[in-house]
């Protein structure tokens, strides 16, 4: 009887995934997030939107998970992640036809949203462990690596967007206290007047503490602001402070590590420079170090999942897995930047240092979610047979011209 119920449930959820994946997600702008939370914060409206939007976002990325190599799908960690997504979709769909005016329904929905958010806390390291399990057992080839890179960019971007929706709902409606005493001016996770330099200083201090513990010393910070809109005034903007913090903290960690390892036991270290500029279209943060730089051929690798110069962490299923050593710091930081139509780029001078630049849209109306969509183009990316490169590959050995053929 249990097997029969399980089979029926599997068929049913499969049909739901097929149905909701036919719809494209509805991207929201930062201004829409802000306006909803500040002026029209209505739990019923949020409930009505989320019970439609969450299944769409979940189903779209669940269809892509199934396009991964079979051996990767069979790893315990990936199967665990899939089970989380299936369970979360089932729980959201329970509210599909319920009355939004019923207070008990609204309470139960918020409770379900909190459980889903907590369930997905370890999605990133667990999926990372699945990729490690696959590589250690089956190895990799260029085609699989390219498809996995493409998938993980989209999978983690989808997770960022889903978490944004869950956080906004739970922070606005999930507790008896409607105003967060630690951040009273924030609208959910968004700060309408985010003091960029304050977030940067906070990230620097925490990265510095880590650096001091490991190397017994750390580089100083020089921070400059260039506010074109309002000169001599601190730069503020509508943004998610936790996203900005995540990006800048990662850049400071990398800059400090490169500097400390290059200068070794020196008593003095070159400063790390951080510059913040607010223009008419972009807010830009540049973090510059003199840690020796990176060769051009390695720049792209730094944004590749599983590439890391740190030791790989051990996996213990009983507790959260650390991200250090998985090589996910820069790729995830770039996704945070791109989530609201920004970007993160590295410019290196090998032998000197590296400039890391974060670009963020200055206007909240132009900061619109960047969301993956499951469609024929995405499907083709996984199924296309990658042919030989149409550029010649330079040989490292000198060519023997005496054996060169004549036409």
């Amino acid at each position: 009887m249990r097997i029969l119920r399980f089979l029926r449930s599997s068929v049913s959820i499969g049909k739901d995934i097929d149905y909701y994946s036919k719809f494209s997600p509805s991207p929201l702008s930062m201004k829409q997030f802000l306006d909803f939370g500040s002026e029209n914060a209505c739990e019923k409206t949020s409930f009505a939107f989320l019970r439609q939007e969450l299944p769409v976002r979940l189903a779209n990325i669940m269809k892509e998970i199934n396009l991964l190599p079979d051996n990767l799908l069979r790893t315990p960690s990936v199967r665990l992640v899939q089970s989380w997504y299936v369970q979360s979709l089932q729980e959201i769909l329970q509210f599909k036809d319920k009355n939004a005016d019923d207070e008990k329904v609204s309470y139960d929905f918020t409770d379900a949203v909190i459980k889903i958010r907590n369930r997905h806390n370890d999605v990133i390291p667990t999926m990372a462990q699945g990729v490690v399990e696959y590589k250690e057992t089956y190895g990799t080839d260029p085609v699989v690596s390219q498809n996995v890179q493409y998938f993980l960019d989209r999978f983690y971007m989808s997770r960022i967007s889903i978490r944004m929706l869950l956080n906004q709902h739970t922070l606005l409606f999930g507790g008896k206290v409607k105003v967060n005493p630690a951040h009273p001016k924030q609208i959910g996770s968004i700060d309408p007047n985010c003091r960029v330099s304050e977030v940067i200083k906070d990230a620097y201090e925490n990265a510095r503490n880590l650096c001091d513990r490991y190397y017994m010393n750390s580089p100083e910070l020089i921070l400059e602001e260039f506010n074109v809109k309002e000169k001599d005034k601190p730069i503020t903007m509508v943004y998610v402070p936790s996203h900005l913090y995540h990006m800048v903290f990662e850049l400071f960690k990398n800059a400090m590590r490169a500097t400390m390892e290059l200068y070794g036991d020196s008593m003095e270290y070159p400063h790390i420079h951080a510059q913040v500029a607010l223009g008419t279209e972009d807010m830009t943060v540049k973090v510059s170090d003199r840690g020796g730089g990176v060769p051009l051929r390695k720049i792209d690798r730094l944004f590749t999942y599983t590439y890391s110069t740190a030791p790989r962490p051990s996996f213990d299923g009983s507790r959260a897995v650390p991200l250090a050593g998985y090589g996910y710091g820069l790729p995830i930081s770039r996704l945070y930047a791109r989530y609201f139509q920004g970007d993160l780029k590295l410019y290196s001078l090998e032998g000197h240092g590296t400039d890391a630049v974060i670009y963020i849209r200055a206007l909240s109306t132009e900061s619109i979610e960047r969301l993956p969509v499951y469609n024929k183009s995405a499907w083709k990316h996984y199924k296309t047979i990658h042919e030989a490169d149409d550029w010649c590959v330079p040989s490292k050995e000198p060519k023997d011209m005496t054996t060169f053929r004549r036409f």
Side-chain angles (χ1 to χ4, degrees):
M1 193 68 182
R2 286 182 180 176
I3 295 175
L4 185 61
R5 280 202 300 266
F6 173 75
L7 291 174
R8 285 176 177 170
S9 175
S10 298
V11 171
S12 175
I13 197 66
K15 288 181 179 179
D16 288 328
I17 293 170
D18 288 340
Y19 174 74
Y20 283 100
S21 65
K22 293 176 183 177
F23 300 94
S24 293
S26 302
L28 301 175
S29 70
M30 190 76 77
K31 187 176 188 306
Q32 286 175 310
F33 275 115
L34 194 66
D35 288 347
F36 169 78
S38 57
E39 297 174 8
N40 308 304
C42 172
E43 188 170 2
K44 186 169 69 173
T45 305
S46 180
F47 165 64
F49 175 72
L50 289 186
R51 72 175 173 183
Q52 293 295 328
E53 183 65 14
L54 285 174
V56 171
R57 296 195 186 191
L58 288 168
N60 268 264
I61 204 61
M62 289 168 79
K63 290 290 283 188
E64 288 200 38
I65 294 177
N66 289 328
L67 297 177
L68 291 172
D70 289 340
N71 289 329
L72 178 55
L73 289 174
R74 292 191 192 103
T75 60
S77 295
V78 174
R79 291 174 66 179
L80 179 59
V81 170
Q82 277 190 297
S83 71
W84 290 340
Y85 274 72
V86 168
Q87 187 176 353
S88 297
L89 179 59
Q90 288 174 324
E91 289 175 2
I92 289 295
L93 291 180
Q94 290 176 2
F95 294 89
K96 182 174 64 172
D97 299 317
K98 293 194 174 179
N99 184 8
D101 294 319
D102 189 333
E103 285 189 14
K104 175 75 164 54
V105 171
S106 296
Y107 176 83
D108 289 343
F109 180 78
T110 301
D111 191 48
V113 164
I114 292 172
K115 287 180 181 177
I116 291 170
R117 184 192 64 186
N118 294 341
R119 178 184 302 127
H120 289 243
N121 279 343
D122 292 333
V123 160
I124 293 179
T126 307
M127 179 60 79
Q129 180 63 25
V131 175
V132 170
E133 292 166 5
Y134 172 79
K135 287 183 69 176
E136 290 179 345
T137 306
Y138 302 101
T140 55
D141 62 72
V143 174
V144 171
S145 295
Q146 188 174 343
N147 284 346
V148 169
Q149 178 74 20
Y150 175 80
F151 165 76
L152 290 178
D153 268 342
R154 295 164 64 80
F155 178 73
Y156 292 138
M157 184 68 88
S158 171
R159 180 187 181 274
I160 290 170
S161 77
I162 290 170
R163 203 160 186 83
M164 183 73 184
L165 295 181
L166 299 177
N167 278 336
Q168 285 302 102
H169 186 85
T170 55
L171 289 172
L172 289 171
F173 310 113
K176 294 180 180 179
V177 179
K178 296 302 180 184
V179 177
N180 184 348
H183 305 283
K185 295 183 180 179
Q186 285 192 193
I187 309 298
S189 58
I190 300 172
D191 189 342
N193 294 288
C194 178
R195 297 281 291 265
V196 176
S197 288
E198 294 302 315
V199 176
I200 291 174
K201 289 174 185 175
D202 188 30
Y204 167 76
E205 289 299 332
N206 287 327
R208 184 182 193 177
N209 288 338
L210 286 178
C211 189
D212 285 336
R213 273 191 278 171
Y214 193 83
Y215 296 102
M216 307 303 292
N217 211 333
S218 57
E220 295 291 333
L221 173 68
I222 297 176
L223 178 60
E224 297 178 283
E225 275 196 2
F226 306 96
N227 192 341
V228 174
K229 289 185 174 181
E230 298 178 285
K231 290 186 178 181
D232 301 324
K233 285 191 176 182
I235 292 176
T236 62
M237 65 180 306
V238 180
Y239 206 66
V240 185
S242 60
H243 290 189
L244 178 60
Y245 174 90
H246 183 105
M247 292 183 276
V248 180
F249 178 69
E250 181 64 29
L251 297 185
F252 279 137
K253 280 197 306 178
N254 292 344
M256 289 178 184
R257 183 181 177 197
T259 301
M260 300 305 292
E261 294 191 355
L262 180 65
Y263 287 86
D265 296 329
S266 172
M267 296 303 294
E268 292 186 5
Y269 304 92
H271 293 68
I272 292 174
H273 288 250
Q275 295 176 309
V276 186
L278 178 62
T280 54
E281 292 188 24
D282 297 327
M283 195 285 293
T284 310
V285 177
K286 183 170 78 169
V287 176
S288 306
D289 66 66
R290 288 178 55 192
V294 182
L296 176 63
R297 66 181 176 84
K298 288 188 176 181
I299 289 290
D300 287 341
R301 285 191 218 169
L302 298 178
F303 290 105
T304 303
Y305 298 98
T306 73
Y307 178 81
S308 176
T309 55
R312 180 170 295 155
S314 58
F315 181 71
D316 178 0
S318 65
R319 54 194 174 88
V321 186
L323 285 181
Y326 279 111
Y328 278 39
L330 278 175
I332 296 293
S333 294
R334 183 168 68 174
L335 292 182
Y336 274 115
R338 289 179 171 178
Y339 174 48
F340 280 115
Q341 305 297 329
D343 209 347
L344 190 158
K345 294 182 179 293
L346 296 182
Y347 303 96
S348 187
L349 285 73
E350 189 191 6
H352 179 72
T354 302
D355 290 347
V357 184
I358 300 169
Y359 297 97
I360 296 172
R361 294 295 180 97
L363 300 177
S364 59
T365 51
E366 295 181 1
S367 298
I368 304 167
E369 289 183 294
R370 180 183 174 91
L371 305 175
V373 180
Y374 175 77
N375 54 24
K376 191 174 288 185
S377 296
W379 182 88
K380 283 182 178 178
H381 189 96
Y382 295 96
K383 299 300 180 182
T384 301
I385 298 175
H386 297 268
E387 299 179 355
D389 196 354
D390 54 359
W391 292 87
C392 65
V393 180
S395 173
K396 294 182 180 180
E397 299 296 326
K399 188 179 288 293
D400 183 359
M401 298 305 293
T402 61
T403 63
F404 192 70
R405 66 178 181 270
R406 297 189 179 192
F407 294 97

